[in-house]
Amino acid sequence: MSTASQLSHIRNIGIAAHVDAGKTTLTERILYYTGASHKIGEVHDGTAHMDYLAEEQSHGITITAAVTKAPWRDHLLQIVDTPGHVDFTIEVERAMRVLDGCILVLDGVRGVEPQTETVWRQRSRFQLPVLFFINKMDRPGASFSHSLESIQRRLGAEPVPITVPLMDEPAVVHLIERQLIRFTGNQGSELIVEPCPAAIWEELTDYRESLLLACAELDESLADCVLEGEDPDPESLWQVLQQGTRAGALFPCFGGSALRNLGVQPLLDGVVRLLPAPLDRPPSLAVRPDGTPEEVAMDGEGPLVALAFKVQLWDGRRHVFTRIYRNRLSPGDRVAFLNAEGRVVREQVARIFDVDAGHRTRLHQAQAGQIVLLAGLRFASTGDTLCDPEHLLRLERIDAREPVLSLAVEPAAGTEEEKFLEALEKVLQEDPTLRLEEDPETGQRLLRGMGELHLSIVLERLEREFGVRIRSGKPAVAVRETIQQSAKADILYAPPPVPDQRIPERTARVLVSVAPGERASGVRWEIQPRILPEGAVLSEEQRLALENGIRSALEAGPQQGARVEDVQVGIEEVELFGPASTPEALQAAAFRAVQKALAQAEPALLQPIMALEVVVPKENLGTVLGDLQSRRATIRDTRTEGNTATIECFVALEKILGYTTDLRSQTQGRGQFSMQFERFDLI
């Protein structure tokens, strides 16, 4: 079979959602119904095939993106099950970068939730086609129509109903095929398909009309057919839906309940018929070392291009998850990549593995379109483009968010210092959202991460996988610094000569101005100074030295040594003293001038502000609202649906450390919340 023929029968898809919407449960059913697994594992029992880490089984959540494969109707589905908790959002970002389409799972009671919106933004960045699976439709309060409305309202997308679950029996109605599909037999594996009874069809006319109108918007002949009152044939609808889905104009929605084995097989049919094969996706844009762009189409021929999207330790050894975009890869092949600093690094692939969650199978070769695991790469990290050493390229990198919480960490036994640092280094290679820094005042090592759960899981892994017992302090919030007024500083850098040492004279004078910027505007600087004496000119090396001085000064603010944000810096005047005004002197003068100006400009701390959504029983709404207001939360919205109330607000992270315990006590264990980083701001 040719490469093109093989690729046309592959679907690379991700399954993503808000935490606890049922992603892993859905994946377990997919594996069972496709024959890839002979039994269904359950998340609540700790037996899910995809949650293979000990921490995932003990906490009952997905922590790391897991890759597996499943055959369906002569096609091969490469599936990535991603975490739903916001602390592990880098796993979703990395997966979205290498996929061709995705399934977003919604809770049929809750509809679109905060992390759903985060995942939506991630998929939008990479323009991935999406199918929605509206899950948990067996639960009291579940509403298919409410979920469709929340997709339209909160995501601004055009939801198109395809299968509508019936509330009083284990069945769905297929709106394209006009069929009633019942799920029977062992774990819902047997389907009874029959024409939909007229009485049931009559109740679903609004959904069928929504489907027809959405398709008619994209196809004139279909629009004419609908306007004339004719009923389009199913194949015509499938074709238009496929075009609209792949173009990102339509978002088909399938209803069901993964836990109750309801509605999964029609979703799989939708994946094969609607989501694109690798060849159907537009070419990726790469850049050569000289900045020239180059399109990289999915192809078995041409210079090798592959993207390393995740580093993972396996049996204590370093492995790299990679997607092949062009050509093929075999054990022993040499590859090269441009690292983050722009230097060329050359490595050799030792072994290639096919991956099924926690299991590996050795491969003799990997083809374009495949997602594989590579062993033997010592330096390649998340976002590096592996390519032919004679044809260097760089695909778009994967951005990691800045950590917002830190813990002081040290080995429990002083004799384990070396083992402790070695284990931390390995974990840091895996997770680009982790940082290890040293507190300049106390000398303590600070482990920075995305949240309390994130850091807790890392500490558990260090103890289980590496046998390192760790002492940690209380979580501390990672802050930034800014200024609240403008200021100027004039610095003459002229260190006294050191006796008996041959150090040349270094002198330079720099006048700097600083001003507050808009919130979340970052840092901007301008180097357009008046230069003294008249007629003097800054060399490129001297100009770069000034820029480095500014950059270094902004790395540590005057209050707590945190990075400075939302400021504008201008070099207004530079005085040169001939050969004494070396680049080192100019850098030191700029550094000191910026530091002095910041200290005079009313410095202030910026705290991480979180977008918080709290769901509580309606009778506890007043208590929870009062508690949030005491934490100085800004309430954005409060709404009630049935017996539950939802609160949306902004609140400083430091005000809600340990909030899980407080919310449980206020709601007798029935309240839940989710949060995600919004911005750094004054409080």
Side-chain angles (χ1 to χ4, degrees):
M1 187 182 291
S2 68
T3 301
S5 179
Q6 288 177 330
L7 289 176
S8 68
H9 284 70
I10 288 176
R11 299 291 183 271
N12 286 306
I13 62 168
I15 300 180
H18 186 90
V19 65
D20 202 32
K23 302 173 308 303
T24 303
T25 303
L26 174 62
T27 308
E28 294 296 317
R29 267 60 184 180
I30 289 174
L31 294 177
Y32 181 71
Y33 297 141
T34 59
S37 175
H38 299 297
K39 66 175 183 178
I40 294 177
E42 301 293 4
V43 175
H44 52 268
D45 293 333
T47 58
H49 177 74
M50 303 301 285
D51 286 347
Y52 61 91
L53 292 180
E55 288 77 20
E56 293 178 317
Q57 294 165 4
S58 63
H59 288 271
I61 60 170
T62 301
I63 292 167
T64 184
V67 180
T68 191
K69 290 179 172 61
W72 186 253
R73 305 210 189 285
D74 299 323
H75 287 69
L76 180 66
L77 312 183
Q78 292 192 127
I79 302 168
V80 180
D81 178 35
T82 65
H85 199 287
V86 69
D87 282 15
F88 310 105
T89 192
I90 183 62
E91 294 287 331
V92 185
E93 185 85 12
R94 295 194 284 202
M96 293 287 185
R97 177 66 182 81
V98 296
L99 294 172
D100 300 320
C102 64
I103 299 170
L104 292 192
V105 184
L106 301 187
D107 183 324
V109 178
R110 302 281 303 131
V112 172
E113 299 178 83
Q115 186 64 6
T116 318
E117 295 179 317
T118 300
V119 170
W120 180 259
R121 286 192 294 271
Q122 290 170 319
R123 87 85 227 165
S124 298
R125 179 181 170 192
F126 302 117
Q127 299 181 330
L128 289 187
V130 171
L131 304 184
F132 283 96
F133 183 67
I134 300 174
N135 194 25
K136 301 189 178 183
M137 288 302 299
D138 59 306
R139 291 179 56 195
S143 169
F144 192 71
S145 60
H146 165 72
S147 297
L148 295 181
E149 185 272 331
S150 71
I151 292 171
Q152 196 165 39
R153 174 172 50 86
R154 297 186 66 168
L155 303 181
E158 182 65 46
V160 182
I162 306 296
T163 59
V164 182
L166 301 182
M167 303 305 290
D168 52 354
E169 58 179 310
V172 301
V173 174
H174 203 299
L175 296 175
I176 296 178
E177 304 291 347
R178 286 178 167 267
Q179 294 170 339
L180 177 67
I181 305 174
R182 302 180 194 276
F183 302 86
T184 63
N186 184 32
Q187 304 278 11
S189 58
E190 296 179 17
L191 274 60
I192 299 175
V193 181
E194 59 190 52
C196 184
I200 295 177
W201 188 255
E202 185 67 27
E203 295 176 4
L204 303 178
T205 52
D206 287 348
Y207 290 126
R208 170 73 176 186
E209 187 177 342
S210 296
L211 165 65
L212 295 179
L213 290 175
C215 291
E217 286 284 331
L218 300 182
D219 188 276
E220 287 188 15
S221 60
L222 193 63
D224 293 339
C225 178
V226 171
L227 289 173
E228 290 169 9
E230 298 177 16
D231 208 9
D233 64 280
E235 195 55 40
S236 298
L237 290 174
W238 279 117
Q239 287 180 3
V240 175
L241 266 175
Q242 183 191 82
Q243 295 167 7
T245 302
R246 294 180 180 182
L250 300 179
F251 300 93
C253 301
F254 297 77
S257 171
L259 186 63
R260 304 300 174 205
N261 312 307
L262 173 67
V264 177
Q265 293 93 328
L267 173 67
L268 288 172
D269 290 337
V271 168
V272 168
R273 299 202 66 163
L274 301 175
L275 291 181
L279 290 174
D280 299 322
R281 294 284 288 153
S284 299
L285 188 64
V287 178
R288 297 173 188 156
D290 63 2
T292 308
E294 179 179 325
E295 287 191 344
V296 178
M298 195 69 64
D299 195 346
E301 303 300 327
L304 172 72
V305 178
L307 183 70
F309 67 93
K310 179 180 177 180
V311 176
Q312 184 164 329
L313 296 176
W314 215 306
D315 297 332
R317 293 185 176 88
R318 192 178 193 271
H319 292 74
V320 180
F321 276 99
T322 303
R323 178 157 195 209
I324 315 277
Y325 283 84
R326 193 165 67 191
N327 206 291
R328 60 194 66 83
L329 199 56
S330 302
D333 283 355
R334 293 191 174 277
V335 298
F337 62 90
L338 293 163
N339 65 14
E341 290 77 41
R343 292 196 299 271
V344 179
V345 181
R346 290 177 169 80
E347 299 208 70
Q348 185 172 8
V349 176
R351 291 175 299 282
I352 302 176
F353 297 97
D354 197 13
V355 183
D356 175 19
H359 306 284
R360 295 172 299 173
T361 306
R362 289 187 71 161
L363 294 174
H364 298 298
Q365 192 175 72
Q367 306 286 342
Q370 279 188 276
I371 294 173
V372 293
L373 191 66
L374 306 182
L377 302 182
R378 297 170 54 204
F379 305 108
S381 60
T382 298
D384 287 332
T385 303
L386 309 179
C387 44
D388 186 322
E390 303 303 318
H391 191 87
L392 294 174
L393 290 173
R394 179 181 277 172
L395 293 164
E396 181 185 359
R397 292 192 66 86
I398 298 169
D399 292 333
R401 297 188 182 187
E402 287 295 314
V404 295
L405 205 65
S406 66
L407 284 176
V409 291
E410 62 182 19
T415 56
E416 292 189 328
E417 177 79 10
E418 188 174 332
K419 186 178 179 182
F420 164 72
L421 290 175
E422 184 180 333
L424 271 178
E425 175 61 29
K426 290 181 177 179
V427 174
L428 288 166
Q429 286 184 33
E430 279 193 339
D431 190 342
T433 60
L434 276 178
R435 304 276 194 282
L436 184 64
E437 300 171 3
E438 187 173 291
D439 188 315
E441 294 183 4
T442 65
Q444 288 181 305
R445 290 190 182 91
L446 299 178
L447 185 64
R448 299 192 185 278
M450 301 304 294
E452 291 177 273
L453 179 62
H454 186 204
L455 294 172
S456 171
I457 294 292
V458 170
L459 297 185
E460 287 180 30
R461 283 193 60 203
L462 287 169
E463 186 162 341
R464 178 182 63 84
E465 291 184 31
F466 303 98
V468 179
R469 293 177 300 113
I470 291 178
R471 284 199 297 261
S472 61
K474 292 183 178 180
V477 172
V479 298
R480 298 287 184 268
E481 297 192 29
T482 192
I483 56 175
Q484 299 184 81
Q485 65 181 35
S486 300
K488 291 186 179 183
D490 194 337
I491 290 291
L492 174 65
Y493 177 75
V498 180
D500 302 325
Q501 291 192 24
R502 296 180 179 178
I503 299 176
E505 183 183 356
R506 292 167 295 160
T507 308
R509 178 179 150 268
V510 174
L511 173 64
V512 163
S513 65
V514 296
E518 295 291 327
R519 196 62 63 234
S521 64
V523 171
R524 288 184 292 172
W525 58 72
E526 187 178 68
I527 303 176
Q528 298 293 336
R530 175 182 175 226
I531 303 172
L532 299 174
E534 296 293 339
V537 177
L538 285 175
S539 70
E540 190 60 38
E541 193 177 7
Q542 288 174 320
R543 188 174 291 275
L544 182 61
L546 290 169
E547 187 174 309
N548 288 336
I550 297 171
R551 186 182 287 112
S552 299
L554 295 175
E555 283 298 312
Q559 288 203 311
Q560 291 189 10
R563 197 167 73 228
V564 180
E565 298 278 359
D566 305 337
V567 298
Q568 299 174 26
V569 181
I571 303 286
E572 297 198 355
E573 191 170 284
V574 173
E575 188 171 356
L576 302 177
F577 296 84
S581 292
T582 62
E584 293 77 15
L586 284 163
Q587 181 170 333
F591 174 82
R592 296 185 181 188
V594 173
Q595 281 200 322
K596 182 178 179 182
L598 290 174
Q600 296 172 349
E602 198 177 333
L605 292 181
L606 294 172
Q607 298 281 353
I609 305 298
M610 314 301 286
L612 187 72
E613 182 171 282
V614 188
V615 181
V616 298
K618 192 157 60 173
E619 62 266 27
N620 301 125
L621 176 60
T623 303
V624 175
L625 265 177
D627 177 66
L628 286 171
Q629 287 167 342
S630 73
R631 298 170 190 262
R632 298 173 64 182
T634 303
I635 308 299
R636 298 165 56 204
D637 187 29
T638 303
R639 59 183 183 275
T640 57
E641 297 171 18
N643 294 321
T644 64
T646 301
I647 305 164
E648 293 181 12
C649 62
F650 291 129
V651 61
L653 177 58
E654 69 167 1
K655 300 292 185 184
I656 49 169
L657 293 178
Y659 185 57
T660 302
T661 304
D662 294 339
L663 183 63
R664 282 176 181 163
S665 67
Q666 293 165 15
T667 61
Q668 295 76 51
R670 293 181 292 167
Q672 57 178 311
F673 75 94
S674 60
M675 65 177 179
Q676 59 188 12
F677 173 74
E678 180 69 21
R679 65 184 185 277
F680 281 98
D681 210 338
L682 300 168
I683 62 169

